[in-house]
Amino acid sequence: MSNLVELNMGPQHPSMHGVLRLRLKLDGEIVREIEPIIGYLHRNAEKLCEMDYFCDNIVYFDRMDYVGAMNMEVGFLEAAEKLLGVEPPERAQWIRVVAAELNRIAAHLVWMGAFGLDLGMLTPFFYCFIEREKILNIFVELSGTRQQYNYMSIGGVYQDITPKIIEEIKEFIKQFPKKLEEIANLFLKNDIFLSRNRGLGVIEKETAISYGVTGPILRASGVPYDVRKEEPYLVYDKLNFDIPVSQKGDNLARFMIRLEEIRQSVKIVDQAITKIPDGPYFNPKAKKSLMIRLRGEGEVYARTESSKGEFGVYIVGDGGVKPYRVHVRSPTFKNLSIIPAVAKDKMIADLIAILGTFDLVFGEIDR
Amino acid sequence: MSLLERLFGVFSFLGHDLGYAVSYLIQAVLYLIVIALLLILMIYLFRKFMARLQQRLGPNRVGKFGSLQLIADAFKLLGKESILPSERDNFPFVVAPMMVLIGLMLAFVLIPYGSLYWIGSITATHSAVSVILIFALMAIMPIGELLAGVSSHNKYALLGALRAVAKDVSFEVPMMLSLLAVVMMASARVSTPLDMESLISAQFLAYGILQPLGIFLFFIAMVARASYTPFDMGESDSELVSGYSTEYTGMRFAMFYIGMFGTILLGSTLLSTLYLGGYSGPFSSSIGPIWVFIKAIILVLISFTVWLSLPRIRIDKFVNFGWKYLLPVSFINLILVGILTLGLGW
Amino acid sequence: MVEILEEKKGKDGRPIFVIKKSDLLEFMRQKKQEGFDHLSLITGVDRKDYMEVNYHLYSFSKNQYIVVKVTTDNLTVPSLISLWKSADWEEREQYDMLGIRFDGHPDLKRMFLPESWVGHPLRKDYDLNNVQYINMDEYGEDYATFDPGDGW
C-alpha cells in the first residue's frame, strides 16, 4: 500500500506551456513518479500534409513550432526542395538564413521570459517580449504576419527583402546586444535564481544521447552537436559562428547555452545581412502558377537546427503532386521523453524549473 | 479631542449609551471605508508601479490615468458568479475568506495613527496590550488560508495550504523575537511597553537605527507573512495553479487578493510604528496620520520592488533559511539589544 | 552474419540499408557498436500491402548518417528499446499512427490518441468520415466515442 498522492498536473495549468499533462505521484512535496501524457493539441499534421500539395504544406509547418515558425519552414523546404529538385536561388538562401536566425532569437526570448515566469519572476518576461516584439515587427514588414508567416515557399521566398527592412534589421541588431545584457543581468545577478538552478536537473551525456535529446539541452550536456555545423544547409558554411557547449548539464547550463546562442544568432544576422547578394529571390522553375504541378519521387530526410534542436523532416514521394508520407522529427517531442528520468525524486518547484528549461512548444510535440 | 468624542458630540442628543454606540458604529464604518480606499489606492499604485518597472503603461483606460480601474474591477468581481465546488466542506469554505478579511481589518484598528490637526486623535481604540492583540489578530489570517486549502478538497489547494503553514511556522518565531527586542528596549523608558503608543513615545531615536538587525528581520518576516513573490509558496501560481485560493472565484477570491495587499499595508504600517517612530516626525501633533502613511508607502514601494524582481524561493530552502539563519540572527539581535538596554541605560 | 538485402543512396545522398526484419536487432546492435549512438527517428510508411519501417541513425563521433529500412507484412517489428531509450516514444507514436506493433516494447500504448480510439490515422485506408469524439471520464482518463450524444 503506497502513501503517494496522485496529482494530475495539466492539461490546463499555468506552467505547462500549453497542454502538457503530467500524472505525478507525490510523496509530500517530492515527485516520485512522472508520466507525461500528450496529445491534447494533436492535429495530425502529417496526415494533413499527405492530403495537400507540396506548396500548401508549409502552413502546417508554421503551426508546429509557432514561436519559431521560420525555422520550421526552413526545415520543411530543405526536404521538399531536395525531393522536388528545385534549388532556391542564392539570394533566397541568404534571406532565409536571416529570417531563421532572427526567429531563433525571438523563440529564445520567449523561452527566457516564460522560464522566468515559471520561477516566479514577473519582470524579465516583459523585457524579453519587448525585444521580441521588435523582431515580430520586422517580420510583419517582411511577410505580412506576426507569427504564422508562410513566408518561404518552394523555390525561394514569397516576397523580396527591401532595403528598408534591411535597415530595420541593422538597427535592431545594433541596439539588441545591450538590451540582451540587461535581460541577462536580471537573471544572472540574482542569487535566488542562481541557487535554484545551479546543479538542478543534471542530464548526463550518455543519458541525453540515449534518449535522443538534441539542441541546447544536448549541448548543455557536453555534446557539440549542431546541424548548422555538422551538415550545413542553406549558406551556414559561409558564416562565422560558434557552437556554445557546456559540460555541466544542469538548468543553469541550459540557460547559459541559450543565452550564448542568442548572441551567436546576432552575430550570424549581423554577417548575413550585409552579404545578401543581388539576383532573383525565386526560382523560376517553381513559378507560383505551376507550383502545384511539382512532382516528387523517392525519399528524403532533411535535418535542420531549429531553436529547440534537430528538426527533421522525412518525406516520401510516390511521383504524385502530394507527398506520400511526411514524418516530422520534432526535437521537443524527443526532449520531453527524458523528463521522467530527470525530474524524478525532485520537488514540485524543481520539476517546474526543469520543465521550464526544456522549451516546450506543444504545437510541435503533438503536431 | 478624538474622532470618537467629536462624533459623540453630534449624537449626544441620543443620550450617553446610545450616543456612544452610534458613534462607535459610525467610526467603525468610517474606518472600513478609509481602509478600503487606502487598499484600492495601494493596488492602483502597485499596478502602475509594476507597469513602470516592466516598461509598460499599466491601467490607463478607465478614468484619468486609469484611476478608476480598480473601482471597475471591484464591480466586475461583484458581478461575477461565485462558483462553489461540489466537493467542498461548505462552512469552512465560505468562512475562510471572511476570516482573512476580518483578521486584517481588525488589526488595522489597533494601530495608533496620531492626531490630525482639526479632528484630533484618530486612533480608534486604545489598549495597554495592543502589540499582543495585533499579532493575535494577524494570526487569524493563516487559519483562514489553511481552512480554505483544506476545505476545497483540491490537491493543489491542500499542497498550497501545507506550504503556507510550513512557511508561517518558520518565520513566526524570528518575527516574535525581534518584536521582543523592541519591547525590551522600550521597557527601559516606559511603564507599559506593550502599548503601541508608548512604544512610539519611547523612540527618542527610531529603533530601526538602533536595531538594524531587528528591522531587517522584521521586514523579511513581513514579506513572508504577506506571501508575495520571494515567499509566495502558498500560492505559487506557476506550480500550484493558485495554491489555497484555487477553487475560489468572484468576490471570495477578491477577499484573498485584498487580504494579501492588506497584509502588505498592515505590515508596512506596523514596521513604521515599531521601528520608524510611527506618527512622530516634524509637526506630528497635526499631521500624524500623514507621517504614518508616508512611512508605510515607502516601505510598501520597497516591498513591491522586492516582489517584482525576485523569483520564488523553494519551500524547503525557505524553511532552512528560517530556522538556520533567521532564528540565530534574531537571538543575536536580542542579545545585542539587551546589552544596549542594560549597559547604556536606553 | 546480417544479410543486407539492398544498399542504395537516397535522394539526399544518405546510404539506405534494406535488411530483413529478423536481422534488425542484430544489425542495430552492430551499428551501435560502430558508433551510431543517436537514433534520430523511426518512421513507418504504409505501402498499402505491406508496412515499411525506416530507422535513421546518426553518429556523433563520425558525423555519419544512415537509414535502415525493414518491411513487414504482419505489422510486427522487433523493438529497439533495449538499445536506445528514445525508441520508447518513437515506437509508441508509430503504433498509435500506423498500428505497427513493436515486439518487446514494455508499455506499448497510444502516444497521442486515447486508448479507445478506433483505427490508426496515418494508414491509407483510414476512414476520415468517421468522426470520433474524445471525452474525459471522472478519473481523468480520456476515451473516444463515435456517439456525440454521450457526455455532451
Side-chain angles (χ1 to χ4, degrees):
Chain A
M1 149 117 195
S2 75
N3 290 322
L4 301 180
V5 178
E6 198 175 317
L7 180 68
N8 209 357
M9 215 176 225
Q12 267 82 45
H13 186 276
S15 63
M16 284 296 142
H17 297 270
V19 285
L20 172 61
R21 176 171 159 207
L22 293 175
R23 191 176 283 160
L24 307 175
K25 293 259 174 67
L26 298 178
D27 181 4
E29 280 271 330
I30 298 165
V31 180
R32 293 292 183 206
E33 270 176 49
I34 306 165
E35 188 198 348
I37 300 170
I38 58 176
Y40 291 93
L41 202 62
H42 182 63
R43 299 149 293 184
N44 215 337
E46 291 162 4
K47 184 82 177 174
L48 291 169
C49 287
E50 286 174 19
M51 294 157 67
D52 247 326
Y53 298 109
F54 281 104
C55 56
D56 293 346
N57 283 341
I58 299 163
V59 293
Y60 302 125
F61 283 82
D62 273 334
R63 280 146 187 82
M64 278 181 195
D65 181 1
Y66 40 77
V67 298
M70 288 288 189
N71 285 302
M72 300 289 111
E73 293 177 12
V74 168
F76 171 69
L77 290 173
E78 275 300 304
E81 282 168 354
K82 269 183 204 159
L83 186 78
L84 302 172
V86 180
E87 185 77 8
E90 181 135 31
R91 184 175 172 84
Q93 295 194 15
W94 283 94
I95 296 174
R96 280 185 194 178
V97 167
V98 170
E101 291 304 318
L102 277 176
N103 210 333
R104 189 189 310 275
I105 298 172
H108 279 336
L109 283 173
V110 170
W111 165 79
M112 203 177 265
F115 181 48
L117 278 190
D118 283 347
L119 294 172
M121 296 165 100
L122 285 170
T123 309
F125 180 79
F126 291 93
Y127 283 70
C128 292
F129 268 60
I130 286 167
E131 293 307 307
R132 173 182 181 251
E133 202 59 34
K134 292 175 188 164
I135 298 177
L136 293 191
N137 285 338
I138 293 170
F139 283 153
V140 169
E141 293 265 328
L142 195 64
S143 68
T145 47
R146 276 165 50 87
Q147 291 208 46
Q148 266 87 45
Y149 310 108
N150 197 6
Y151 174 57
M152 301 165 194
S153 52
I154 292 169
V157 293
Y158 144 76
Q159 174 168 289
D160 200 4
I161 192 166
T162 60
K164 185 172 164 253
I165 299 172
I166 291 179
E167 274 318 302
E168 273 173 27
I169 294 174
K170 276 182 183 161
E171 209 169 285
F172 170 77
I173 289 299
K174 200 189 270 176
Q175 55 92 36
F176 180 65
K178 219 176 115 196
K179 295 272 183 187
L180 183 66
E181 294 317 307
E182 201 177 304
I183 295 168
N185 283 344
L186 283 178
F187 289 99
L188 296 176
K189 294 209 169 157
N190 195 322
D191 269 350
I192 299 175
F193 175 82
L194 293 176
S195 72
R196 271 198 64 178
N197 285 305
R198 193 173 279 141
L200 175 67
V202 177
I203 303 176
E204 302 294 334
K205 198 171 168 180
E206 287 72 33
T207 325
I209 290 173
S210 175
Y211 273 95
V213 168
T214 50
I217 304 172
L218 185 66
R219 292 194 280 276
S221 296
V223 184
Y225 172 61
D226 189 313
V227 185
R228 289 176 292 174
K229 282 277 185 208
E230 303 289 329
E231 193 187 325
Y233 53 98
L234 295 176
V235 287
Y236 278 110
D237 46 350
K238 292 172 192 163
L239 292 160
N240 172 30
F241 61 100
D242 302 318
I243 303 299
V245 182
S246 165
Q247 302 295 332
K248 296 205 182 84
D250 59 352
N251 259 11
L252 193 61
R254 293 194 274 276
F255 181 88
M256 298 304 282
I257 292 282
R258 288 211 175 85
L259 184 64
E260 189 55 37
E261 261 181 36
I262 297 179
R263 296 194 185 117
Q264 294 299 329
S265 291
V266 171
K267 210 168 134 190
I268 294 174
V269 177
D270 202 15
Q271 294 168 43
I273 198 72
T274 54
K275 285 189 183 166
I276 296 178
D278 288 332
Y281 63 95
F282 202 85
N283 189 337
K285 195 180 161 193
K287 252 203 218 137
K288 278 171 202 163
S289 54
L290 297 169
M291 222 193 291
I292 58 166
R293 294 194 206 155
L294 288 171
R295 287 164 194 277
E297 188 166 15
E299 47 192 89
V300 163
Y301 177 73
R303 44 185 182 148
T304 52
E305 186 75 21
S306 85
S307 55
K308 273 85 185 162
E310 178 194 329
F311 179 73
V313 181
Y314 182 64
I315 307 181
V316 181
D318 62 346
V321 291
K322 295 173 183 175
Y324 187 76
R325 169 86 163 96
V326 177
H327 190 201
V328 179
R329 186 210 188 273
S330 146
T332 24
F333 177 71
K334 289 299 209 49
N335 294 353
L336 181 64
S337 67
I338 204 173
I339 277 286
V342 180
K344 201 165 175 285
D345 295 340
K346 300 275 192 325
M347 303 188 78
I348 299 176
D350 286 345
L351 168 72
I352 300 293
I354 294 170
L355 263 182
T357 56
F358 272 65
D359 198 3
L360 304 176
V361 169
F362 261 78
E364 192 188 50
I365 293 172
D366 288 350
R367 297 192 291 280
Chain B
M1 282 282 269
S2 73
L3 180 63
L4 185 71
E5 282 162 40
R6 280 178 192 278
L7 281 171
F8 180 66
V10 177
F11 292 104
S12 54
F13 63 89
L14 291 170
H16 181 270
D17 293 353
L18 198 58
Y20 265 113
V22 169
S23 348
Y24 264 119
L25 197 69
I26 289 175
Q27 191 195 19
V29 171
L30 277 177
Y31 266 97
L32 208 62
I33 291 169
V34 169
I35 290 168
L37 280 177
L38 269 181
L39 283 175
I40 283 178
L41 189 71
M42 203 182 100
I43 297 175
Y44 173 73
L45 186 76
F46 169 70
R47 292 178 63 170
K48 275 292 188 192
F49 185 74
M50 177 160 81
R52 291 292 298 171
L53 222 67
Q54 296 169 347
Q55 306 186 347
R56 53 194 182 87
L57 292 171
N60 66 347
R61 285 289 178 268
V62 190
K64 198 85 180 156
F65 305 116
S67 50
L68 299 177
Q69 181 67 48
L70 268 298
I71 312 281
D73 279 356
F75 276 112
K76 181 199 76 179
L77 283 167
L78 277 172
K80 276 200 165 182
E81 182 191 2
S82 194
I83 299 163
L84 297 168
S86 56
E87 299 274 316
R88 69 191 187 270
D89 273 349
N90 194 24
F91 181 67
F93 186 85
V94 175
V95 159
M98 296 179 195
M99 279 180 82
V100 172
L101 207 61
I102 289 172
L104 177 80
M105 291 294 177
L106 285 180
F108 266 114
V109 174
L110 282 162
I111 289 173
Y113 292 102
S115 47
L116 208 55
Y117 68 104
W118 52 269
I119 299 180
S121 168
I122 60 162
T123 307
T125 175
H126 186 83
S127 157
V129 287
S130 55
V131 173
I132 292 177
L133 264 178
I134 277 196
F135 282 88
L137 286 171
M138 276 173 78
I140 292 178
M141 297 166 64
I143 298 173
E145 290 166 3
L146 181 65
L147 273 184
V150 175
S151 66
S152 299
H153 282 239
N154 178 316
K155 283 167 191 166
Y156 291 122
L158 184 63
L159 277 172
L162 289 177
R163 282 183 180 193
V165 169
K167 179 197 71 184
D168 286 348
V169 168
S170 47
F171 82 80
E172 200 84 51
V173 179
M175 189 183 195
M176 284 307 170
L177 283 175
S178 53
L179 180 72
L180 186 62
V182 170
V183 174
M184 197 162 80
M185 194 174 251
S187 66
R189 301 190 129 241
V190 289
S191 55
T192 53
L194 287 174
D195 182 1
M196 298 269 267
E197 285 198 22
S198 47
L199 267 184
I200 292 170
S201 65
Q203 293 182 36
F204 61 95
L205 188 62
Y207 280 173
I209 299 165
L210 293 175
Q211 305 178 13
L213 270 181
I215 192 170
F216 174 71
L217 283 170
F218 200 88
F219 184 75
I220 290 183
M222 180 198 104
V223 172
R225 154 52 55 85
S227 63
Y228 50 87
T229 284
F231 307 125
D232 68 341
M233 308 87 168
E235 292 195 20
S236 56
D237 50 357
S238 65
E239 291 151 29
L240 301 180
V241 185
S242 190
Y244 49 78
S245 56
T246 304
E247 293 285 352
Y248 285 88
T249 52
M251 210 53 215
R252 288 200 173 87
F253 172 75
M255 285 184 189
F256 284 111
Y257 190 73
I258 294 169
M260 185 179 74
F261 277 95
T263 323
I264 300 174
L265 188 62
L266 178 67
S268 307
T269 323
L270 212 55
L271 186 61
S272 70
T273 311
L274 293 177
Y275 287 96
L276 300 174
Y279 53 71
S280 55
F283 312 109
S284 63
S285 57
S286 48
I287 55 163
I290 294 174
W291 279 114
V292 177
F293 189 66
I294 288 173
K295 286 169 185 171
I297 281 294
I298 290 170
L299 286 167
V300 162
L301 287 179
I302 293 173
S303 36
F304 283 166
T305 319
V306 171
W307 179 349
L308 293 167
S309 47
L310 290 183
R312 187 177 305 120
I313 298 180
R314 220 170 64 191
I315 179 69
D316 61 327
K317 281 188 176 160
F318 177 69
V319 173
N320 264 344
F321 174 67
W323 293 107
K324 281 190 190 158
Y325 300 99
L326 282 189
L327 190 63
V329 169
S330 55
F331 273 117
I332 290 169
N333 176 50
L334 198 63
I335 291 165
L336 284 178
V337 172
I339 292 168
L340 274 178
T341 313
L342 284 179
L344 305 173
W346 280 345
Chain C
M1 194 54 212
V2 177
E3 184 196 355
I4 295 168
L5 296 174
E6 193 186 346
E7 188 179 345
K8 54 184 179 184
K9 282 247 186 233
K11 225 174 175 177
D12 46 3
R14 300 181 206 281
I16 300 173
F17 298 95
V18 184
I19 56 166
K20 272 199 292 204
K21 190 173 79 180
S22 50
D23 292 339
L24 180 72
L25 213 55
E26 180 58 32
F27 185 75
M28 288 302 200
R29 194 168 287 127
Q30 272 178 28
K31 283 292 168 198
K32 199 186 175 190
Q33 274 160 10
E34 283 171 29
F36 287 91
D37 41 8
H38 181 58
L39 173 67
S40 190
L41 84 162
I42 301 174
T43 314
V45 183
D46 182 8
R47 296 285 187 184
K48 291 193 178 134
D49 39 358
Y50 63 96
M51 283 283 181
E52 184 185 293
V53 184
N54 299 303
Y55 297 86
H56 291 244
L57 298 183
Y58 177 69
S59 161
F60 286 121
S61 47
K62 292 192 279 187
N63 192 14
Q64 272 178 16
Y65 209 99
I66 57 166
V67 183
V68 180
K69 193 188 279 277
V70 294
T71 56
T72 170
D73 353 334
N74 63 349
L75 289 174
T76 55
V77 177
S79 170
L80 295 183
I81 201 165
S82 54
L83 295 175
W84 289 283
K85 293 234 174 67
S86 68
D88 182 358
W89 280 28
E90 290 284 340
E91 285 172 357
R92 275 178 65 190
E93 189 197 338
Q94 295 311 311
Y95 165 70
D96 188 0
M97 291 292 123
L98 286 154
I100 302 166
R101 283 190 301 281
F102 290 86
D103 286 340
H105 192 292
D107 187 25
L108 194 64
K109 52 186 184 186
R110 285 177 181 270
M111 188 84 241
F112 298 125
L113 300 171
E115 277 304 314
S116 55
W117 191 270
V118 179
H120 298 280
L122 278 181
R123 288 229 191 125
K124 293 291 170 188
D125 57 359
Y126 181 75
D127 184 9
L128 282 170
N129 295 325
N130 235 339
V131 180
Q132 298 186 42
Y133 295 86
I134 303 177
N135 286 317
M136 195 181 261
D137 66 12
E138 57 189 297
Y139 305 106
E141 303 293 340
D142 299 328
Y143 64 97
T145 161
F146 284 102
D147 181 16
D150 186 12
W152 282 72

